[in-house]
Amino acid sequence: MAKPKNFNLRLLVQIFFFSLIALISVNKTLTAAGTGIPFLSAASLHALCPFGGVETFFTLLTTGLFVPKTQISAVILMGLVFLLALLFGPVFCGWVCPFGAFQEWVGKIGKRLFKKRYNQFIPAKLDRVLRYLRYGVLVWVLTVTAVSGALLFANLDPYHALFKFWTGTVALPALILLIVITIGSFFVERPWCKYACPYGALLGLFNKIRVFKIHRNTDTCVNCHKCSRICPMNIDVCRNETVTSLSCISCYECTSARNCPKAETLVVQPGRFDGNHGRRRVSPTVVAIVLLTVFIGGIFGSMVLGIWNTQTNNQGSGGKNKGVGQKNQVQIEEVSD
Ligand code: SF4
Ligand code: SF4
């Protein structure tokens, strides 16, 4: 049976991951009160965040310890996300990240309110300058985490604030940032992703080396600009033969039949564009199947191998670096849960 034109697989995947993280976070609160949901994880969100793996990586390499609140689970997720990014670009941002999905859903109200003006409020020159900000945030986060041995970014992280705001443990700056990003999302699509997200900055680099790229067939394209207008990251797809922008989040909205009126014009395939025969092309459905297989298979595989662990009370791999561990304990008090 043919797939309906308006079928939105990405939305389903986003709802799945958003609901999963929300449930786990609520379950952590319930478990603390002794009424946890059976068979559902109550892990710390930091242990389930692949960016936690990036943050702890330097400390892990140099001391054998995890930065408090992170765990090997975050490092495993980091590896899975990097593998997917190497294949398809930052699909984590476009399909999985619950905070990206949250901004998009708020943005749907903005689209209804402002119609064609939505996502066009920031002047192009200012936008170009602001896009460098997230690289500064990335360098700052990695530096302060490596130097302090603590997850200080959690005090600013709006993603963490969204899924913890009811606990009373979220730092005020993170709550303020969450409110600012939520309001901003009514006017600009994914403002956090575009201008401030350190993980988006890192994953965006994979757009330069990803195996499967988005190509535009200039023979069949009718230059209607619909792909450029639909792009949440304001990439001018219509003026590119191959999308290599650092901002692309691999949402594949531009390639969808919902948005490009000419079938087989925006295609995903490895290497150079090979004309119309399309032997090596993959559809967003294939990307979604690979994404879910890598994510779910990687987690279950590491469970079977006995290396999956989300218990963040054990902060070290041994006693050889007690000094670092003790130094961290002081800063744990200052970091929101
Ligand atoms: S270029 Fe296409 S895949 Fe990349 S962010 Fe824009 S719409 Fe999504
Ligand atoms: S939406 Fe499709 S046909 Fe229109 S400009 Fe983009 S690639 Fe060309």
Side-chain angles (χ1 to χ4, degrees):
M1 199 174 67
K3 204 169 56 177
K5 197 177 167 187
N6 284 331
F7 178 74
N8 193 339
L9 178 62
R10 189 171 74 92
L11 179 62
L12 291 183
V13 175
Q14 285 179 306
I15 291 171
F16 170 74
F17 281 106
F18 185 95
S19 309
L20 186 66
I21 290 298
L23 273 172
I24 290 173
S25 191
V26 168
N27 198 33
K28 188 165 168 60
T29 307
L30 293 175
T31 303
T35 55
I37 304 166
F39 308 114
L40 180 68
S41 170
S44 157
L45 291 191
H46 299 300
L48 295 176
C49 176
F51 188 57
V54 177
E55 288 173 285
T56 204
F57 200 66
F58 177 80
T59 305
L60 184 61
L61 273 188
T62 53
T63 69
L65 296 169
F66 294 103
V67 168
K69 299 187 189 302
T70 65
Q71 243 306 346
I72 188 67
S73 49
V75 179
I76 293 168
L77 290 171
M78 174 192 79
L80 299 177
V81 171
F82 281 166
L83 172 66
L84 287 165
L86 201 55
L87 288 173
F88 303 115
V91 275
F92 174 81
C93 306
W95 293 68
V96 179
C97 177
F99 195 60
F102 169 75
Q103 292 169 85
E104 258 184 57
W105 297 339
V106 174
K108 285 189 191 300
I109 304 170
K111 267 181 201 165
R112 286 188 175 235
L113 288 176
F114 299 114
K115 307 266 182 321
K116 284 187 178 169
R117 280 163 57 220
Y118 176 73
N119 208 20
Q120 303 295 332
F121 288 101
I122 308 227
K125 270 190 186 164
L126 179 61
D127 175 79
R128 264 199 299 278
V129 174
L130 288 177
R131 299 244 180 179
Y132 289 105
L133 193 64
R134 61 181 191 162
Y135 301 100
V137 177
L138 174 65
V139 171
W140 175 79
V141 171
L142 295 183
T143 307
V144 294
T145 311
V147 170
S148 68
L151 219 53
L152 297 181
F153 177 58
N155 289 334
L156 288 170
D157 188 353
Y159 160 71
H160 186 250
L162 176 65
F163 288 100
K164 284 281 170 189
F165 67 86
W166 62 87
T167 61
T169 62
V170 177
L172 186 61
L175 277 175
I176 293 172
L177 209 47
L178 173 62
I179 293 167
V180 169
I181 299 296
T182 306
I183 295 171
S185 298
F186 283 103
F187 303 91
V188 176
E189 191 145 19
R190 287 183 176 243
W192 173 256
C193 313
K194 271 185 191 134
Y195 305 123
C197 179
Y199 200 30
L202 183 60
L203 292 178
L205 300 176
F206 283 87
N207 283 316
K208 298 294 182 197
I209 56 167
R210 59 197 270 185
V211 176
F212 289 87
K213 294 189 165 79
I214 299 171
H215 301 278
R216 185 173 60 94
N217 185 344
T218 50
D219 292 335
T220 54
C221 173
V222 292
N223 291 309
C224 66
H225 292 260
K226 282 190 178 167
C227 50
S228 303
R229 280 200 296 274
I230 200 69
C231 178
M233 302 302 279
N234 301 81
I235 298 165
D236 203 352
V237 184
C238 182
R239 287 192 208 283
N240 286 272
E241 288 187 15
T242 301
V243 175
T244 56
S245 166
L246 294 170
S247 293
C248 177
I249 53 168
S250 292
C251 63
Y252 296 118
E253 285 298 323
C254 55
T255 69
S256 161
R258 290 191 308 277
N259 300 316
C260 175
K262 301 298 283 184
E264 301 290 306
T265 293
L266 279 165
V267 295
V268 182
Q269 68 170 58
R272 288 170 184 274
F273 180 58
D274 68 352
N276 271 330
H277 43 85
R279 276 193 303 274
R280 296 176 293 144
R281 285 178 197 169
V282 294
S283 67
T285 307
V286 171
V287 174
I289 291 169
V290 175
L291 185 155
L292 291 172
T293 307
V294 167
F295 244 88
I296 296 170
I299 292 170
F300 277 104
S302 49
M303 279 176 177
V304 170
L305 291 173
I307 52 174
W308 182 261
N309 183 14
T310 59
Q311 298 298 313
T312 55
N313 53 346
N314 172 13
Q315 297 303 338
S317 59
K320 72 184 171 85
N321 280 303
K322 285 271 166 25
V324 174
Q326 282 157 3
K327 191 176 78 180
N328 287 346
Q329 293 302 316
V330 178
Q331 284 142 342
I332 294 168
E333 306 300 326
E334 298 164 5
V335 175
S336 60
D337 179 30

